[in-house]
Amino acid sequence: MSNIPENLRYSKDHEWVAVEGDVAAIGITDYAQHSLGDVVYIDMPRVGDKFGAHESFGSVESVKAVSEVFTPVAGEVTAVNDGLNDTPEKVNGDPYGDAWFIKIKMDNPGDADGMMSAAEYEEYLEGIDH
């Protein structure tokens, strides 16, 4: 069973979003990091880059594969977690804490409301695993 914090919203692409005002912190879920295996590199965007909802903003390289990561909400990147450049393995140990990827100033703060709750995401994962 994956760790699924109650206070976050989730996408079907296995990203999580933590919303504070009109800014969303985005990372990948425990399920995603577990599926990828040991993360060895993360390709990040730059501050000021703009993305539409569901656009790829980077990639995660693990010992198993390289996977794109998507932003569930549209907006402009206001912060990038540069600490993951030196220690990408943090994603495996703490996918919801220090291992956030980017922060985006959302074009429409209501976009995150349409994402899955923790209970909905857990049910979604049960459908995938069976």
Side-chain angles (χ1 to χ4, degrees):
M1 181 57 64
S2 293
N3 176 15
I4 307 171
E6 293 285 329
N7 61 326
L8 305 175
R9 305 297 287 183
Y10 300 90
S11 75
K12 290 184 176 179
D13 294 318
H14 308 290
E15 283 87 19
W16 59 261
V17 170
V19 176
E20 286 188 31
D22 60 353
V23 175
I26 299 171
I28 64 170
T29 66
D30 186 47
Y31 176 88
Q33 69 80 18
H34 184 76
S35 297
L36 286 166
D38 295 336
V39 174
V40 295
Y41 179 77
I42 300 171
D43 181 34
M44 300 279 216
R46 290 180 290 187
V47 171
D49 287 352
K50 294 182 179 181
F51 296 95
H54 311 292
E55 279 189 47
S56 172
F57 67 83
S59 61
V60 177
E61 183 175 340
S62 71
V63 293
K64 292 182 180 177
V66 176
S67 297
E68 288 184 287
V69 283
F70 301 90
T71 174
V73 296
E76 180 177 337
V77 176
T78 60
V80 174
N81 189 350
D82 292 327
L84 294 180
N85 291 332
D86 296 330
T87 55
E89 66 275 10
K90 278 186 178 178
V91 173
N92 295 114
D94 188 14
Y96 301 111
D98 289 341
W100 58 273
F101 284 28
I102 61 172
K103 293 184 179 178
I104 283 186
K105 182 176 181 187
M106 295 183 282
D107 291 342
N108 179 6
D111 285 351
D113 294 342
M115 297 175 66
M116 291 183 278
S117 67
E120 291 167 333
Y121 183 63
E122 184 174 2
E123 187 175 314
Y124 176 71
L125 292 180
E126 289 172 3
I128 291 172
D129 289 339
H130 294 112

